Structure formats: structure tokens, C-alpha cells
């Protein structure tokens, strides 16, 4: 795929919003997901370790567990995804808290591979309670993700970080983020979706709060929504109708997992409805003994 450049991508997003069309980002766990998301007209494609776990039939939160080197998984996925995308920005999900990467060096490597931008994933923003506090206290906090986005901005990469509340939205806006993805938790619905989530009205209120906090810092930052009960197109439409100034939606499970679950099952069922020509055959075995008994 061509290197699109941050300026080109931001111009496209501004034209999209000016035409009163939502920005749509898609998570891709496989090359075929990326290929057909592009054909479907998405503006951004983002690959990160959860995409691989998700398309292996596991929940997206597997990406937060010690099931692999998140940053290494992304660079491995790049070989599959980057060559099939023709004209859409592809972003890498970067684990900004990774203590085994020199982050400025790693970001330059991602740019050289062909990535147009980055997102902060896996993110400690999804972790709360005592564990989150301990992570912050021991040098593995959300601030490292903010630093990663700031460094990526210096390298002229498009930056689309997850934010979780007004404070993180302000931090990422100050770091120069281009598109803030207001995260409302694990996506519900589907075979492996979450069951605990906010209502759509609660989601709209939270997204609005993050939007307002970010725009108070910078007027040019885009804000889109993601996760929780915002799972289907009608959910997105509801949130956009009940917020002001929100620019679109990012879907991962919503775009690739849902389509895979429904599409494959439906296609298999269509084949299952076929019948063989001719009369039905008996499945009862006839032996010499039973044949004599019949006589």
C-alpha cells in the first residue's frame, strides 16, 4: 500500500465530516478482514493483538492477558494486512507500556514497515481498581501511552488513541492526538461479547463528556465512539443523534467479528438445506441373517 501521509489522511477525514458523513474505523485481525473493510468504505484500518485473538474465537480482552508479545504480534500481522490494503490508512496498535521496547525506535520501525499511524492498544485504560493503581505506581501507567502518542505525533504519524474519561481525553489532546476514540468498554452482543455494559443513553453522555474535554484543549481534534453497547449501526446512529460534535465510530468486533459469525453460519446453513437427487436411501443394514429371517 502507498504511504498516505498524515496531512493527506487528515484532509480526507475533514472532507468526510464536512459532507456530514461519519468517520468509520475498522479493526482487522486478518488480511481478508482488512481487504473487505476497505471495499466497504472505511476510513481507517487498525490492527492490534486482540484482532488476532478475536478472529481465533477468543474474547477481545485476551489482548490484555499474557498470551503473547503484543507489539511482536502486530508486526507479524503487518505482513498479512499491509500488502492487501490499497488506499486506506493502516494503524498499528502499540503497547505503549512495553518495557522491552525503546519506543521512539519502535515507532520509526513501524513507520518504515508501512504503517500510517498508531493507536494505544493494549491499554491500561481498560483496567481499574487496585490493579490499575498498582500499575500506575510501578511505572506501567497510562502516562506511558500518552508519551507514545506524543512521540508518534513528532514522527508525523496519524494518532488515534483510546480515551476513557475526560482526564485521559485532555491528556491525549495535549499530546497532539488527531482522532480520539472514546472507549466505553468491551463490545456487547455476538457469541463472545460482554454482558455488562452501559445503556446507550449513558454511553452518549460519557462520549459527550470526553468530546467536550478534548475540544476545550484543541478545537481541531476529531472524536469518535467505540465499544460497550455501541455495537450495531443503529446503536451508532442513536449515539450520534444524542451527542453534539462527535465525528464517527470505530468498530472492531462490530465490523469483523459480527460479520464473520453471522456470515459463516448463514452460509453453512444454506448448504445444509440442500438435498441429494432421487429417493431417500435406507440407512438400515441388511445381513444374511436378517434376510433369511424375512423369508
Amino acid at each position: 500500500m502507498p504511504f498516505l501521509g498524515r496531512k493527506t489522511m487528515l484532509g480526507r477525514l475533514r472532507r468526510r465530516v464536512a459532507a456530514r458523513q461519519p468517520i468509520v474505523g475498522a479493526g482487522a485481525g486478518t488480511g481478508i478482514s482488512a481487504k473487505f473493510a476497505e471495499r466497504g468504505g472505511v476510513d481507517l484500518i487498525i490492527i492490534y493483538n486482540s484482532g488476532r485473538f478475536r478472529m481465533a474465537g477468543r474474547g477481545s480482552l485476551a489482548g490484555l492477558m499474557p498470551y503473547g508479545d503484543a507489539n511482536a504480534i502486530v508486526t507479524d500481522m503487518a505482513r498479512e494486512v499491509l500488502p492487501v490494503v490499497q488506499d486506506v490508512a493502516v494503524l498499528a496498535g502499540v503497547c505503549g507500556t512495553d518495557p522491552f521496547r525503546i519506543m521512539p525506535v519502535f515507532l520509526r520501525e513501524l513507520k518504515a514497515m508501512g504503517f500510517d499511524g498508531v493507536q494505544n492498544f493494549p491499554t491500561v485504560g481498560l483496567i481499574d481498581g487496585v490493579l490499575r493503581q498498582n500499575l500506575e505506581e510501578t511505572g506501567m501507567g497510562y502516562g506511558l501511552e500518552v508519551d507514545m502518542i506524543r512521540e508518534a505525533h513528532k514522527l508525523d504519524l496519524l494518532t488515534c488513541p483510546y480515551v476513557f474519561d475526560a482526564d485521559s481525553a485532555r491528556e491525549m489532546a495535549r499530546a497532539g492526538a488527531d482522532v480520539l476514540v472514546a472507549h466505553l468498554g468491551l463490545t456487547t452482543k455476538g457469541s463472545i461479547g460482554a454482558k455488562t455494559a452501559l445503556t446507550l443513553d449513558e454511553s452518549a453522555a460519557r462520549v459527550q463528556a470526553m468530546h467536550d474535554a478534548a475540544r476545550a484543549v484543541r478545537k481541531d481534534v476529531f472524536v469518535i465512539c467505540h465499544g460497550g453497547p455501541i455495537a450495531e449501526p443503529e446503536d451508532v446512529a442513536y449515539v450520534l443523534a444524542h451527542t453534539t460534535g462527535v465525528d464517527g465510530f470505530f468498530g472492531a468486533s462490530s465490523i469483523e467479528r459480527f460479520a464473520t459469525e453471522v456470515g459463516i453460519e448463514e452460509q453453512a446453513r444454506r448448504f445444509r438445506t440442500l438435498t441429494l437427487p432421487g429417493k431417500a436411501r435406507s440407512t438400515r443394514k441388511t445381513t444374511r441373517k436378517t434376510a433369511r429371517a424375512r423369508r
Side-chain angles (χ1 to χ4, degrees), residues 10 16 29 33 53 61 75 79 92 94 137 186 199 206 208 228-229 246 260 263 275 292:
L10 288 175
R16 179 73 78 188
S33 296
F53 293 126
L61 288 183
T75 57
R79 297 180 302 159
V94 177
E137 293 167 348
L186 190 63
T199 66
R206 291 200 183 188
Q208 189 70 62
V246 177
T260 300
T275 56
R292 284 196 299 270

Side-chain angles (χ1 to χ4, degrees), residues 2-3 11 14 30 50 54 66 73 90 92 94 104 109 127 129 140 191 216 253 257 259 269-270 278:
F3 291 89
R14 291 189 189 102
T30 64
S50 271
R54 180 168 53 244
I73 288 172
V90 180
V94 177
E109 290 173 355
I127 301 171
M140 292 176 278
S191 66
S253 291
R257 175 168 66 82
R269 289 185 185 280
R270 289 177 62 200

Side-chain angles (χ1 to χ4, degrees), residues 129-142:
V130 174
L131 177 56
R132 172 62 179 278
Q133 187 62 37
N134 289 165
L135 288 169
E136 297 289 343
E137 293 167 348
T138 54
M140 292 176 278
Y142 187 79

Side-chain angles (χ1 to χ4, degrees), residues 170-186:
R170 281 188 285 266
E171 287 184 82
M172 286 298 190
R174 293 190 188 103
D178 299 303
V179 181
L180 299 187
V181 185
H183 201 307
L184 299 167
L186 190 63

Side-chain angles (χ1 to χ4, degrees), residues 68-83:
D69 180 337
N71 286 328
I73 288 172
V74 166
T75 57
D76 184 58
M77 293 170 69
R79 297 180 302 159
E80 180 178 343
V81 173
L82 289 175

Side-chain angles (χ1 to χ4, degrees), residues 6-277:
R6 178 172 169 270
K7 184 177 179 180
T8 297
M9 292 181 284
L10 288 175
R12 290 183 179 183
L13 297 182
R14 291 189 189 102
R15 288 191 292 275
R16 179 73 78 188
V17 173
R20 298 183 62 80
Q21 297 176 343
I23 295 168
V24 178
T30 64
I32 197 167
S33 296
K35 182 176 182 178
F36 285 92
E38 179 177 22
R39 288 195 189 184
V42 302
D43 302 291
L44 306 166
I45 293 172
I46 305 171
I47 65 175
Y48 48 88
N49 68 331
S50 271
R52 173 164 287 180
F53 293 126
R54 180 168 53 244
M55 297 309 285
R58 275 66 181 180
S60 296
L61 288 183
L64 299 184
M65 299 297 286
Y67 303 149
D69 180 337
N71 286 328
I73 288 172
V74 166
T75 57
D76 184 58
M77 293 170 69
R79 297 180 302 159
E80 180 178 343
V81 173
L82 289 175
V84 301
V85 178
Q86 301 301 310
D87 194 40
V88 172
V90 180
L91 282 64
V94 177
C95 181
T97 58
D98 186 345
F100 301 102
R101 295 292 191 288
I102 300 172
M103 199 50 61
V105 174
F106 183 58
L107 292 173
R108 286 194 292 270
E109 290 173 355
L110 293 174
K111 187 172 184 178
M113 290 178 68
F115 283 105
D116 299 296
V118 297
Q119 183 178 66
N120 57 326
F121 195 90
T123 170
V124 299
L126 284 169
I127 301 171
D128 56 16
V130 174
L131 177 56
R132 172 62 179 278
Q133 187 62 37
N134 289 165
L135 288 169
E136 297 289 343
E137 293 167 348
T138 54
M140 292 176 278
Y142 187 79
L144 292 178
E145 299 177 26
V146 177
D147 292 342
M148 182 273 290
I149 293 296
R150 184 180 295 108
E151 188 65 33
H153 178 71
K154 292 178 183 176
L155 294 173
D156 207 34
L157 288 162
L158 189 73
T159 50
C160 303
Y162 282 131
V163 296
F164 301 89
D165 52 32
D167 288 340
S168 57
R170 281 188 285 266
E171 287 184 82
M172 286 298 190
R174 293 190 188 103
D178 299 303
V179 181
L180 299 187
V181 185
H183 201 307
L184 299 167
L186 190 63
T187 301
T188 61
K189 302 181 182 178
S191 66
I192 51 175
K195 300 296 185 288
T196 302
L198 304 168
T199 66
L200 283 174
D201 286 324
E202 290 169 336
S203 298
R206 291 200 183 188
V207 171
Q208 189 70 62
M210 288 184 257
H211 167 277
D212 294 348
R215 290 285 176 85
V217 174
R218 281 193 13 247
K219 297 295 184 185
D220 63 337
V221 64
F222 294 102
V223 179
I224 63 178
C225 58
H226 168 77
I230 313 175
E232 302 284 0
E234 55 269 26
D235 303 324
V236 178
Y238 185 92
V239 170
L240 294 179
H242 289 79
T243 53
T244 302
V246 177
D247 301 303
F249 170 72
F250 168 60
S253 291
S254 296
I255 291 179
E256 69 169 351
R257 175 168 66 82
F258 290 4
T260 300
E261 290 176 352
V262 174
I264 291 178
E265 181 176 351
E266 179 59 28
Q267 186 75 343
R269 289 185 185 280
R270 289 177 62 200
F271 283 102
R272 187 67 282 153
T273 63
L274 299 176
T275 56
L276 297 173

